[in-house]
């Protein structure tokens, strides 16, 4: 059992309360929540009840139904079902619970079933689905009785494809109709040896008692002090589906996720370092290419300037030579003319 005590006050004064299965007549409204029942369900007795201040006790519970289709349909019955309220790990909750009252459909004989000892379950046959009430009466008469509303399911959900709940395991989440939030499941069990698959519709939640009396605290924590006694269903076919609700699997998943994230961070940091080194090499290579390009460009500019200067000098020399040659040719012509005369 997962009972948790939070910061018990050193100045708490104990109050002796008779341990009797007293049915509290003040029931909570249908909209009351399990969590924080001390604030909304506080009952004051004639004498002053002293409580343990700054103390909280959490009681995990599972409530719901499991139904099996009959191999041979009877005249008025198609299914055999069990309505139950149990500990999250099938532990005995009778230390803190005086009785559990199941309110069935009025069509059943004796629709009100009162159980004062575990297992807190009712098994019947029927053909239709209906809304049942589960009333939990605590051993402390100052604690208000808790009423849970549960819809008995006989048939599996219509949508069982990719978008529907997985068969055999898993939770769809959600809350019950009376405002109690928690993890809920509406699944079909595994088919074994050709047996029909059961429909499991159950909810996990935690009842939180704030500032309880010392006597009630001891009653609730007695499972921690003594060896826990597990409670088994009176129906063998139901017992195999009473799976414990433990967060060990979730904790293991979280550890594996943390390990994966740490490995990914190391890998990403390594890739970043290698990318930075590659970037540095590329920047140096680009700088060298830019320097070489600049040198080549300067050399090309100088070569072009030298070539242009050389072309200008050659053109000037050729022009001067042509002028001298023309002058010499003119003198020769004059001499030839004189001789002819």
């Amino acid at each position: 059992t997962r009972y948790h005590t939070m910061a018990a006050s050193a100045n708490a004064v104990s109050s002796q309360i008779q341990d009797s299965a007293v049915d509290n007549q003040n029931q909570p409204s249908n909209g009351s929540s399990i969590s924080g029942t001390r604030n909304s369900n506080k009952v004051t007795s004639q004498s002053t009840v002293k409580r343990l201040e700054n103390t909280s006790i959490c009681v995990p519970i599972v409530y719901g139904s499991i139904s099996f289709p009959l191999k041979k349909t009877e005249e008025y019955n198609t299914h055999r079902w069990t309505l139950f309220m149990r500990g999250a790990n099938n532990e005995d909750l009778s230390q803190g619970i005086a009785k559990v009252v199941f309110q069935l459909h009025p069509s059943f004989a004796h629709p009100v079933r009162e159980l004062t000892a575990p297992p807190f379950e009712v098994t019947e046959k029927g053909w239709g689905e209906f809304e049942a009430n589960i009333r939990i009466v605590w051993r402390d008469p100052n604690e208000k009785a808790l009423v849970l509303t549960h819809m008995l399911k006989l048939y599996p959900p219509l949508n069982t494809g990719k978008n529907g709940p997985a068969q055999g395991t898993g939770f769809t989440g959600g809350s019950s109709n009376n405002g109690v939030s928690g993890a809920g499941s509406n699944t079909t069990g595994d088919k074994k040896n050709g047996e029909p698959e059961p429909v499991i519709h159950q909810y996990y939640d935690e009842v939180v008692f704030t500032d309880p009396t010392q006597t009630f605290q001891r009653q609730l924590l007695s499972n921690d002090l003594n060896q826990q006694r597990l409670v088994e269903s009176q129906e063998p076919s139901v017992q195999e589906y009473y799976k414990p609700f433990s967060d060990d699997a979730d904790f293991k998943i979280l550890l594996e996720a943390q390990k994966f994230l740490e490995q990914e961070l190391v890998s990403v940091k390594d890739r970043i370092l290698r990318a930075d080194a590659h970037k540095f090499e590329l920047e140096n290579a680009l700088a060298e290419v830019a320097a070489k390009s600049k040198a080549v460009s300067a050399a090309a500019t100088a070569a072009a300037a030298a070539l242009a200067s050389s072309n200008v000098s050659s053109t000037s020399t050729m022009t001067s030579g042509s002028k001298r040659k023309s002058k010499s040719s003119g003198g020769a012509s004059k001499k030839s003319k004189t001789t002819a005369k």
Side-chain angles (χ1 to χ4, degrees):
T1 257
R2 207 156 53 98
Y3 294 117
H4 306 294
T5 304
M6 301 171 54
S9 174
N11 298 324
V13 180
S14 63
S15 175
Q16 299 299 325
I17 299 178
Q18 182 180 4
D19 295 342
S20 60
V22 179
D23 188 356
N24 195 304
Q25 299 299 324
N26 298 314
Q27 299 183 15
S29 61
N30 290 334
S32 64
S33 172
I34 278 186
S35 300
T37 53
R38 179 79 268 125
N39 295 329
S40 59
N41 297 339
K42 186 175 180 179
V43 179
T44 56
S45 58
Q46 294 180 353
S47 59
T48 303
V49 178
K50 297 182 179 180
R51 300 180 175 275
L52 299 176
E53 297 181 357
N54 303 320
T55 301
S56 277
I57 301 179
C58 175
V59 182
I61 63 172
V62 177
Y63 64 97
S65 59
I66 177 171
S67 63
F68 298 85
L70 297 176
K71 295 180 181 180
K72 185 177 180 180
T73 303
E74 301 174 0
E75 183 177 2
Y76 296 106
N77 300 315
T78 60
H79 292 75
R80 181 180 178 87
W81 50 261
T82 297
L83 187 66
F84 60 86
M85 196 290 299
R86 61 184 178 89
N89 296 305
N90 298 322
E91 65 272 21
D92 185 5
L93 299 180
S94 60
Q95 290 86 352
I97 296 178
K99 65 181 178 179
V100 177
V101 182
F102 294 89
Q103 178 73 49
L104 307 181
H105 193 270
S107 61
F108 286 91
H110 308 292
V112 179
R113 311 290 176 87
E114 183 176 306
L115 302 176
T116 58
F120 299 115
E121 61 182 22
V122 173
T123 300
E124 279 287 355
K125 292 182 180 180
W127 56 267
E129 299 178 342
F130 63 91
E131 190 175 76
N133 286 337
I134 305 174
R135 187 164 178 255
I136 304 174
V137 180
W138 309 102
R139 290 199 177 276
D140 185 350
N142 295 285
E143 295 292 343
K144 206 171 221 181
L146 178 65
V147 178
L148 305 171
T149 302
H150 179 75
M151 176 61 70
L152 175 69
K153 295 289 186 180
L154 302 182
Y155 303 97
L158 295 178
N159 186 5
T160 55
K162 294 182 179 180
N163 296 328
Q167 291 188 355
T169 184
F171 296 95
T172 61
S175 61
S176 62
N177 295 331
N178 67 343
V180 178
S181 60
S185 68
N186 187 10
T187 66
T188 54
D190 298 328
K191 193 172 184 178
K192 299 179 180 180
N193 301 325
E195 294 292 330
E197 298 177 349
V199 174
I200 305 170
H201 184 212
Q202 61 185 359
Y203 286 89
Y204 167 90
D205 218 300
E206 298 176 348
V207 186
V208 178
F209 296 94
T210 304
D211 300 340
T213 62
Q214 189 172 37
T215 301
F216 192 48
Q217 180 204 34
R218 289 175 179 174
Q219 291 172 336
L220 294 177
L221 297 181
S222 60
N223 271 350
D224 285 344
L225 301 178
N226 304 320
Q227 186 176 1
Q228 293 185 5
R229 183 178 73 89
L230 299 182
V231 178
E232 295 186 357
S233 172
Q234 295 180 349
E235 301 291 327
S237 58
V238 173
Q239 177 59 38
E240 61 178 316
Y241 295 101
Y242 277 180
K243 306 297 183 182
F245 280 72
S246 174
D247 53 5
D248 292 342
D250 294 336
F251 185 68
K252 184 178 180 181
I253 292 174
L254 290 176
L255 288 179
E256 292 177 353
Q258 182 182 8
K259 184 178 179 180
F260 173 77
L261 289 176
E262 291 175 353
Q263 293 175 349
E264 286 296 308
L265 286 175
V266 172
S267 177
V268 169
K269 289 180 179 179
D270 182 63
R271 291 199 298 269
I272 291 175
L273 291 176
R274 284 187 281 130
D276 289 341
H278 186 59
K279 178 185 176 182
F280 182 74
E281 293 176 357
L282 289 176
E283 288 177 349
N284 288 339
L286 288 174
E288 292 178 1
V289 170
K292 290 180 180 180
S293 176
K294 186 175 181 180
V296 170
S297 178
T301 302
L307 181 60
S309 177
S310 176
N311 290 337
V312 171
S313 178
S314 298
T315 302
S316 176
T317 302
M318 290 177 62
T319 303
S320 177
S322 297
K323 288 182 179 180
R324 288 196 299 270
K325 185 176 181 181
S326 299
K327 185 176 181 180
S328 176
S329 298
S333 298
K334 187 176 180 180
K335 186 177 181 179
S336 298
K337 188 177 179 179
T338 303
T339 303
K341 286 182 178 182

